[in-house]
Amino acid sequence: MPRQAAGGPHGAGRTALVVAGAGARGAYQAGAITTLLPRMAPHSATPTIFVGTSAGALNVVGLAAFADDGLSVAAERIVELWTDVESSDVYSLVSSVLGAGAAFFGQAIGVPRARLVSLLDTSPIRQTLQRLVPWGRLHANIRHGLVDAVAVTTTSVETGGTVVFVEKNDSVALPEYDARRNISYVATTLTVDHLLASAAVPILFRPIYISDGCAPERSGWHIDGGLLLNTPIKPSLVLGANHVGIVATQPRVWPPAVAEGSRRRRPVPPDVAGVAALALRAMLGYRMIEDLHELEFRNALVAQGLAVSPADRPIGIDFAGPPLEQAGRIGEIAEEVTGGRSALRRFLRNPAPSVIARLVGGDHEDRGDLLSFLLFDPEFTGQIAELGRKHGTDPGGKMV
């Protein structure tokens, strides 16, 4: 019989861990999880529901797969995996340059079936995930009730909506379609394809065709779930959580309003890198901030006895992410690593990050932000994992 989740300070229910999308910044999240979990423990908030997007999906699947060792041990295992991975384990630089170039040229001159579907050849990541994730343990931990549910978000190319693929045991009910947010829930047995689809960053990574034997009617092309729902708080709640631990690489609060006279002025228009960096910051953090504000507002109504239903309970929130004053620190570390004195040594050992650093334009802040998503380099991931540990001990700022 599946183990029943323990009740927390907010009433009977489950605790969820929600991990946002982040590319190579997933190493920061892994570090943050190691110190967030002990912070949640005093109020009996041990996660049994795990929900993630993109790199966050990799983190939650890994945690659930190693959960039979204990979550604290599992979290350390995830940090080790992130800090061992190199760019060659994720994408092939040579194949990317040659393949993208040939596809672009063929498409431009009208070669039949020539199609540029992505800029990077990410075929190595499939073998990497098959090797690193103990899939059998994942399924067994869910089946035996050690983990109640693991959910991975993607974006459907056909419908343009969010699809949440959920592997769960019988103690968890599958949520209905969310018409307000266009979120569909699909019960399945998770595979490497679900992870690849969740992490398929538009333009950079190849879209993934999921042929789901558990739900064949939902088979189709999928891309990064972060496009619409980078921090999947809502799915964790409808899966039954009344306490959530949220892990992100963006602050939980808006930047302060800046007087016009002191606003940073660019001498020239932002280039493609500058605009892309802004788009990433918006996609990664802005919806999360809105959802957290909405959740805090709901909690305030419950506390005042003004909830929609008498059965409504406050939702406990623990957050792990950078404080506002260090919002750009991850990008700064990426810039420091790629521009350090040992650049030649790093190029010879792991050339992809150095080449990408030369191709990316923008100023230091923009370039560092963009690089931090693709910099699968132990020197970088090791540093940001430690930064995540530090930030995971602090709530990351108050909602205002």
Side-chain angles (χ1 to χ4, degrees):
M1 177 179 294
R3 176 187 51 75
Q4 295 299 311
H10 304 282
R14 296 181 171 90
T15 295
L17 184 67
V18 177
V19 189
R25 292 178 172 217
Y28 170 94
Q29 297 174 330
I33 290 169
T34 66
T35 48
L36 172 65
L37 292 175
R39 181 151 61 85
M40 297 172 67
H43 31 91
S44 302
T46 300
T48 61
I49 294 174
F50 299 85
V51 189
T53 298
S54 193
L58 275 60
N59 278 320
V60 299
V61 165
L63 282 170
F66 294 115
D68 52 319
D69 289 333
L71 285 183
S72 60
V73 174
E76 293 294 344
R77 290 287 302 272
I78 301 306
V79 172
E80 291 175 5
L81 295 180
W82 274 107
T83 53
D84 283 343
V85 168
E86 298 192 351
S87 297
S88 58
D89 297 313
V90 179
Y91 54 86
S92 169
L93 181 63
V94 174
S95 296
S96 297
V97 173
L98 295 179
F104 179 80
F105 180 74
Q107 190 169 297
I109 65 174
V111 174
R113 296 190 177 182
R115 253 176 113 74
L116 179 61
V117 295
S118 66
L119 295 181
L120 295 178
D121 173 12
T122 54
S123 54
I125 195 175
R126 177 179 292 275
Q127 288 72 34
T128 300
L129 292 176
Q130 290 282 30
R131 172 172 52 87
L132 296 181
V133 177
W135 293 96
R137 288 174 66 179
L138 170 70
H139 306 320
N141 287 342
I142 297 171
R143 185 170 62 251
H144 296 151
L146 186 62
V147 172
D148 288 323
V150 180
V152 170
T153 72
T154 71
T155 301
S156 168
V157 173
E158 279 77 12
T159 68
T162 297
V163 179
V164 182
F165 289 98
V166 185
E167 183 170 350
K168 64 182 188 64
N169 56 45
D170 292 339
S171 70
V172 177
L174 186 72
E176 296 180 354
Y177 171 66
D178 183 343
R180 179 171 173 267
R181 296 283 291 269
N182 193 15
I183 303 174
S184 301
Y185 296 87
V186 178
T188 191
T189 299
L190 292 174
T191 68
V192 69
D193 283 334
H194 297 100
L195 285 186
L196 291 174
S198 185
V201 180
I203 300 174
L204 291 179
F205 289 9
R206 175 183 291 271
I208 300 297
Y209 189 88
I210 295 179
S211 181
D212 201 313
C214 298
E217 72 281 1
R218 300 312 301 265
S219 297
W221 292 100
H222 293 259
I223 58 175
D224 195 337
L227 191 63
L228 299 173
L229 193 63
N230 193 63
T231 310
I233 299 172
K234 180 68 177 293
S236 73
L237 300 179
V238 296
L239 283 167
N242 70 332
H243 194 111
V244 290
I246 300 168
V247 185
T249 62
Q250 298 290 320
R252 68 181 291 180
V253 294
W254 297 110
V258 180
E260 187 64 31
S262 62
R263 191 184 302 277
R264 187 180 74 159
R265 297 181 183 276
R266 297 176 182 264
V268 294
D271 62 5
V272 171
V275 174
L278 174 60
L280 275 174
R281 287 192 286 269
M283 184 177 77
L284 291 179
Y286 295 173
R287 182 76 208 203
M288 175 192 73
I289 296 172
E290 292 173 356
D291 285 347
L292 281 170
H293 272 290
E294 184 176 330
L295 203 51
E296 291 284 326
F297 180 71
R298 176 192 178 279
N299 282 349
L301 292 180
V302 172
Q304 298 171 40
L306 301 175
V308 174
S309 166
D312 283 347
R313 300 174 183 272
I315 302 298
I317 305 170
D318 284 297
F319 180 84
L324 188 59
E325 63 272 16
Q326 294 193 44
R329 182 57 187 145
I330 298 176
E332 291 173 0
I333 294 174
E335 188 68 12
E336 292 165 4
V337 167
T338 55
R341 294 179 179 177
S342 56
L344 178 60
R345 176 179 60 83
R346 273 197 312 277
F347 176 80
L348 294 175
R349 179 178 58 81
N350 188 17
S354 299
V355 172
I356 290 176
R358 295 295 176 265
L359 295 175
V360 174
D363 60 20
H364 290 297
E365 179 184 359
D366 296 332
R367 183 167 60 245
D369 268 358
L370 291 176
L371 284 174
S372 67
F373 293 93
L374 294 173
L375 195 53
F376 295 92
D377 182 286
E379 184 175 352
F380 171 66
T381 52
Q383 288 190 51
I384 64 172
E386 292 307 309
L387 183 68
R389 288 186 197 272
K390 178 182 177 181
H391 290 168
T393 62
D394 186 88
K398 301 298 183 183
M399 297 297 293
V400 294

